[in-house]
Amino acid sequence: MRARLRGRNGFLLSLAMAALAVVWMALVAPALALELRRFFGDAAHWIANALSLPLVAVLLFAMLRRTCSDTREVELAAHLQRQQEELHALNARLIDVQENERRTLSRELHDDIGQAISAMKMSATSLEGEDEAGRREIVEEIVGIADSTIAKLRDLSILLRPPQLDALGLVAALRWQCERLFRRGGTPALELDLAPLLDRPDPRVELACFRIAQEALTNVLRHSGATQVTVLLAPRGDQILLSIIDDGRGFDPDHVHGLGLIAMRERATHLGGTFDIETVPGAGTCIRACLPVRVGDARS
């Protein structure tokens, strides 16, 4: 509000300065010419103009400078307000996501894992008093329940954090994630161009790059209607470049403020990187993130 008032006052001040300049040129300069004619004769008119023009130039310069300054303040204030609103929305979204994940984990642990362990316990206690054939059948049932329980635990572990990222690195984790989301022969078709990284990035950079790719690819599947998706990963000196390109319907970035886009941008900028979106409605989308290979302790 303060910036807006400054902008309005600056505009009014500009009008006042312009009016003053017109009055000076129309009234003061001719009067000054009459006074100077007593001393300088016919050259007085030119001398009056020579004296008035610098003052008019100074007034116009002050007017333009104040107007530009106030306009810049209004733009910065609006940009800061948008960033604050985005951060508030992102924080609220993160809280919701955390609660949903905790609810999912609680349900999975209690309903599925807990019941499976209880079933194995009951089956184990029923071994007593059974003949050889009955025991064999119960043991096979216990083994089957154990296998399904291990598979569910593996899925929960992948949901929280893919083990490939820590064990094999960013390139292998991205390849696994892409092939998991885009089945071979399905639509959209997937093209991978993942260049080997000379040095393994900082773990925080690997996680941010993986999550950005994960969010972008999920958006492609849900919203783009694309037939072709290309995922590029390449080293760029002391940085790594991630690009995700699709030929889908695109969108207008000025009218779409999804929290997923805000989260991706926040992940990149928090580590000192950049995040850009190139998209046109009906002409596909290119999401590009450039992240540093190493991150200082100050950003941890």
Side-chain angles (χ1 to χ4, degrees):
M1 180 64 69
R2 183 180 180 184
R4 292 179 180 175
L5 290 176
R6 286 182 177 178
R8 186 180 299 111
N9 290 337
F11 177 73
L12 295 176
L13 180 61
S14 300
L15 291 180
M17 289 183 175
L20 180 61
V22 172
V23 170
W24 176 270
M25 293 295 294
L27 299 177
V28 180
L32 182 60
L34 292 176
E35 294 295 330
L36 294 176
R37 186 173 288 115
R38 299 177 182 177
F39 302 97
F40 300 101
D42 294 335
H45 178 71
W46 300 102
I47 295 174
N49 287 336
L51 293 175
S52 61
L53 286 177
L55 179 59
V56 172
V58 171
L59 291 175
L60 291 177
F61 174 77
M63 172 187 68
L64 293 175
R65 183 176 181 181
R66 178 57 185 268
T67 302
C68 294
S69 176
D70 290 335
T71 301
R72 180 61 177 168
E73 288 181 359
V74 171
E75 293 176 352
L76 291 176
H79 179 68
L80 180 60
Q81 180 67 23
R82 286 195 302 270
Q83 285 189 328
Q84 289 177 344
E85 292 175 355
E86 290 180 352
L87 286 177
H88 287 315
L90 180 59
N91 288 333
R93 175 60 176 167
L94 288 177
I95 293 174
D96 291 340
V97 169
Q98 288 177 348
E99 291 302 322
N100 290 334
E101 288 181 347
R102 289 172 180 173
R103 188 180 300 109
T104 300
L105 288 173
S106 176
R107 184 173 58 252
E108 293 286 343
L109 291 173
H110 180 271
D111 296 344
D112 294 337
I113 308 300
Q115 291 181 5
I117 294 175
S118 298
M120 286 189 291
K121 180 179 178 181
M122 294 176 60
S123 297
T125 56
S126 66
L127 286 173
E128 297 180 1
E130 292 287 342
D131 55 14
E132 188 66 23
R135 291 180 180 179
R136 187 179 302 108
E137 182 179 354
I138 294 175
V139 168
E140 291 176 355
E141 180 181 355
I142 293 175
V143 171
I145 296 174
D147 290 339
S148 63
T149 303
I150 292 174
K152 291 177 181 178
L153 287 174
R154 185 184 301 113
D155 292 338
L156 288 176
S157 175
I158 292 174
L159 178 64
L160 293 175
R161 184 182 177 96
Q164 293 86 347
L165 188 61
D166 294 322
L168 304 177
L170 178 60
V171 174
L174 279 179
R175 187 180 302 278
W176 167 83
Q177 179 68 25
C178 292
E179 293 177 351
R180 181 170 177 265
L181 290 175
F182 298 86
R183 304 299 181 184
R184 294 187 181 274
T187 301
L190 174 65
E191 179 181 351
L192 290 178
D193 186 3
L194 307 179
L197 302 178
L198 299 179
D199 297 321
R200 184 163 180 177
D202 188 287
R204 290 168 291 178
V205 174
E206 286 189 329
L207 180 59
C209 190
F210 180 85
R211 293 303 188 193
I212 290 173
Q214 189 178 47
E215 179 70 26
L217 293 173
T218 302
N219 288 340
V220 170
L221 289 175
R222 290 179 178 175
H223 309 297
S224 72
T227 60
Q228 179 73 33
V229 180
T230 302
V231 180
L232 305 175
L233 182 72
R236 291 289 186 271
D238 58 352
Q239 296 180 325
I240 53 176
L241 176 65
L242 171 70
S243 298
I244 299 174
I245 307 167
D246 69 77
D247 62 352
R249 62 177 61 96
F251 58 92
D252 185 354
D254 294 331
H255 294 84
V256 175
H257 302 287
L259 294 177
L261 297 177
I262 299 174
M264 288 189 284
R265 181 179 293 107
E266 181 65 19
R267 284 184 183 275
T269 56
H270 176 70
L271 297 176
T274 59
F275 179 83
D276 300 302
I277 301 176
E278 297 178 5
T279 181
V280 177
T285 302
C286 175
I287 288 180
R288 185 179 297 107
C290 192
L291 303 175
V293 176
R294 296 284 175 263
V295 179
D297 294 336
R299 291 186 178 270
S300 59

